């Protein structure tokens, strides 16, 4: 089945599109479309999430996104989140799970390229950046 057909089949079956990005072998539930770089256990769509655009998803077409322990590995942070913004509906939810900045897990994995706290995600908010004179981001 083609990627867009997989997305449409989930939409019809679950009446929404839910993505588990970088899901690996285990998705967040049966209603999630698993997206990852490699075709392993829970993966329905193979996609390098560092490379955008993700052509299998239309603008404003996704209802829910789950991302667990992946954002700290991203090299293309801005491109990734611009793509999330593009595909999410205005009423959508996006759950992001990362190791806290002060935890050992943030530092122990040599594949982590950034350390994040709750405040890190403020930089994704255009209004916040403007209020804090950070428009160069």
């Amino acid at each position: 089945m083609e990627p867009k057909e997989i997305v449409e089949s989930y939409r019809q079956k679950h009446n929404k599109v839910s993505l588990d990005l970088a899901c690996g072998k285990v998705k967040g539930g049966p209603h999630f479309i698993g997206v990852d770089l490699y075709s392993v256990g829970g993966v329905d769509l193979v996609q390098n999430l560092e490379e955008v655009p993700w052509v299998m998803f239309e603008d404003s077409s996704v209802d829910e996104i789950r991302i667990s322990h992946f954002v700290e590995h991203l090299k293309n942070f801005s491109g990734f989140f611009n793509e999330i913004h593009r595909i999410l509906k205005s009423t959508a939810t996006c759950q992001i799970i990362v190791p806290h900045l002060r935890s050992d897990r943030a530092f122990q994995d040599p594949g982590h390229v950034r350390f994040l706290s709750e405040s890190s995600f403020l930089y994704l908010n255009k209004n916040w950046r403007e209020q804090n004179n950070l428009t160069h981001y």
Side-chain angles (χ1 to χ4, degrees), residues 12-36:
Q12 290 176 7
K13 183 175 182 180
H14 302 286
N15 201 28
K16 65 179 180 176
V17 174
S18 301
L19 305 179
D20 192 336
L21 300 181
C23 66
K25 295 179 182 178
V26 182
K27 292 190 289 190
H31 68 285
F32 281 99
I33 300 170
V35 183
D36 208 315

Side-chain angles (χ1 to χ4, degrees), residues 31-136:
H31 68 285
F32 281 99
I33 300 170
V35 183
D36 208 315
L37 182 59
Y38 301 106
S39 182
V40 296
V43 176
D44 301 295
L45 297 173
V46 174
Q47 170 69 42
N48 182 345
L49 295 168
E50 295 266 14
E51 295 177 5
V52 296
W54 306 329
V55 296
M56 73 275 290
F57 306 113
E58 303 291 330
D59 294 357
S60 302
S61 64
V62 175
D63 299 281
E64 175 184 20
I65 291 180
R66 178 181 186 272
I67 310 161
S68 180
H69 295 279
F70 176 67
V71 172
E72 63 273 17
H73 296 269
L74 280 172
K75 294 174 185 76
N76 186 7
F77 191 82
S78 295
F80 178 84
F81 280 103
N82 286 340
E83 195 65 0
I84 295 283
H85 184 262
R86 180 186 72 78
I87 67 174
L88 280 176
K89 293 179 178 178
S90 63
T91 57
T93 60
C94 182
Q95 178 189 34
I96 302 168
I97 302 165
V98 298
H100 191 274
L101 162 70
R102 294 188 179 135
S103 76
D104 288 343
R105 290 213 46 208
F107 294 93
Q108 73 187 26
D109 186 336
H112 291 178
V113 297
R114 66 186 72 250
F115 308 106
L116 300 153
S117 72
E118 297 86 352
S119 300
S120 300
F121 296 96
L122 291 172
Y123 286 82
L124 300 173
N125 182 314
K126 182 180 177 185
N127 292 333
W128 182 86
R129 290 192 316 269
E130 288 172 351
Q131 291 170 0
N132 289 278
N133 296 317
L134 296 168
T135 55
H136 57 283

